[in-house]
Amino acid sequence: MNIIRTTAVELSEIPAIAYKQKISAGGAGVKILRLDRDASAVFTIDRRSGEAVAYGPYDAELFTDEAVAEALELTSGLPYSARGKLHVTVFEEAAGAEDVDETETEKIDMVDSDEYKAIVSRYANEKGKLNYSLMNKDFIQFASKSKVVAEMVANNAGVESVLLFIIKSRATFLSGKKESLSDQETAALIETLDEIDPRSAFKELSAYLKRLMARK
């Protein structure tokens, strides 16, 4: 069964690899797998501080703060895709790297959607990481020229409503679709993009909309 995760990156602080994945409890978890022994650790990311929070017990001597920080840095910005389970060979024996919370949930998964793939393709840099600055710049440019956005702002629509409209419209355009995502699907798309960078994928766009509202 495929899981929603990033590619694996190799750490220099310790002999280990790491990747980010969706967890069924919500949000993202960074999993670190030692290459020299059968040991792993998972850390979620605090949305406000961007710091790692242990997702279950782990051996701090095997997974140092420096290694955890490196894992977060290297996986930040890497896009998700549906990938198979990762297996590492430890002491010449295959040790299955069991992934956290693989139980199916009723949450909408947008990783395989044309809209998500189009955004990743359009805004990924040469290292395969999303260029959030460019993405926000393009979305703000669209918002500044949109008559619908201007009308929504004039009619005191909330920032979240305008944000949903902008992202829904741009995702439809970039993917070449004729039908737009639902509000629920758009919210799930935003959540997925937020998990790639916990600082919020559309922070600059949201700030722009708040400035528009304040000038009314």
Side-chain angles (χ1 to χ4, degrees), residues 18 21 42 53 58 196 214 216:
Q21 72 174 83
V42 179
V53 179
Y58 74 102
I196 298 174
K216 279 188 71 281

mmCIF file of all heavy atoms in Angstrom, residues 18 21 42 53 58 196 214 216:
data_model
loop_
_atom_site.group_PDB
_atom_site.id
_atom_site.type_symbol
_atom_site.label_atom_id
_atom_site.label_comp_id
_atom_site.label_asym_id
_atom_site.label_seq_id
_atom_site.Cartn_x
_atom_site.Cartn_y
_atom_site.Cartn_z
ATOM 1 N N ALA A 18 15.734 10.331 6.218
ATOM 2 C CA ALA A 18 14.508 10.915 6.763
ATOM 3 C C ALA A 18 13.567 11.284 5.624
ATOM 4 O O ALA A 18 13.981 11.510 4.499
ATOM 5 C CB ALA A 18 14.841 12.149 7.598
ATOM 6 N N GLN A 21 5.871 12.665 6.019
ATOM 7 C CA GLN A 21 4.682 11.972 5.554
ATOM 8 C C GLN A 21 3.438 12.497 6.249
ATOM 9 O O GLN A 21 3.501 13.123 7.314
ATOM 10 C CB GLN A 21 4.789 10.470 5.791
ATOM 11 C CG GLN A 21 4.665 10.060 7.252
ATOM 12 C CD GLN A 21 4.643 8.554 7.422
ATOM 13 O OE1 GLN A 21 5.682 7.926 7.449
ATOM 14 N NE2 GLN A 21 3.464 7.990 7.557
ATOM 15 N N VAL A 42 9.886 9.506 15.109
ATOM 16 C CA VAL A 42 8.977 10.349 14.343
ATOM 17 C C VAL A 42 8.741 11.651 15.099
ATOM 18 O O VAL A 42 8.565 11.648 16.322
ATOM 19 C CB VAL A 42 7.629 9.645 14.090
ATOM 20 C CG1 VAL A 42 6.686 10.562 13.309
ATOM 21 C CG2 VAL A 42 7.840 8.336 13.349
ATOM 22 N N VAL A 53 8.350 18.183 17.456
ATOM 23 C CA VAL A 53 7.710 17.648 18.659
ATOM 24 C C VAL A 53 7.696 16.127 18.530
ATOM 25 O O VAL A 53 7.182 15.593 17.535
ATOM 26 C CB VAL A 53 6.268 18.177 18.814
ATOM 27 C CG1 VAL A 53 5.626 17.586 20.062
ATOM 28 C CG2 VAL A 53 6.251 19.703 18.870
ATOM 29 N N TYR A 58 11.355 8.054 21.979
ATOM 30 C CA TYR A 58 12.511 7.800 21.119
ATOM 31 C C TYR A 58 13.784 7.928 21.949
ATOM 32 O O TYR A 58 13.772 8.492 23.047
ATOM 33 C CB TYR A 58 12.539 8.781 19.949
ATOM 34 C CG TYR A 58 12.963 10.182 20.316
ATOM 35 C CD1 TYR A 58 14.248 10.642 20.048
ATOM 36 C CD2 TYR A 58 12.082 11.059 20.950
ATOM 37 C CE1 TYR A 58 14.650 11.930 20.386
ATOM 38 C CE2 TYR A 58 12.464 12.343 21.294
ATOM 39 C CZ TYR A 58 13.755 12.775 21.010
ATOM 40 O OH TYR A 58 14.135 14.040 21.359
ATOM 41 N N ILE A 196 3.757 20.932 3.829
ATOM 42 C CA ILE A 196 5.081 20.929 3.234
ATOM 43 C C ILE A 196 5.953 21.993 3.883
ATOM 44 O O ILE A 196 7.136 21.802 4.124
ATOM 45 C CB ILE A 196 4.980 21.160 1.712
ATOM 46 C CG1 ILE A 196 4.197 20.013 1.064
ATOM 47 C CG2 ILE A 196 6.366 21.260 1.089
ATOM 48 C CD1 ILE A 196 3.916 20.216 -0.400
ATOM 49 N N ALA A 214 -8.244 46.060 5.138
ATOM 50 C CA ALA A 214 -8.000 47.188 6.051
ATOM 51 C C ALA A 214 -8.142 48.525 5.338
ATOM 52 O O ALA A 214 -8.447 49.543 5.980
ATOM 53 C CB ALA A 214 -6.604 47.074 6.651
ATOM 54 N N LYS A 216 -10.387 49.354 3.175
ATOM 55 C CA LYS A 216 -11.794 49.637 2.836
ATOM 56 C C LYS A 216 -12.313 50.825 3.639
ATOM 57 O O LYS A 216 -12.015 50.995 4.775
ATOM 58 C CB LYS A 216 -12.645 48.403 3.113
ATOM 59 C CG LYS A 216 -12.556 47.382 1.989
ATOM 60 C CD LYS A 216 -13.535 46.284 2.194
ATOM 61 C CE LYS A 216 -14.980 46.711 1.971
ATOM 62 N NZ LYS A 216 -15.631 47.432 3.031
#
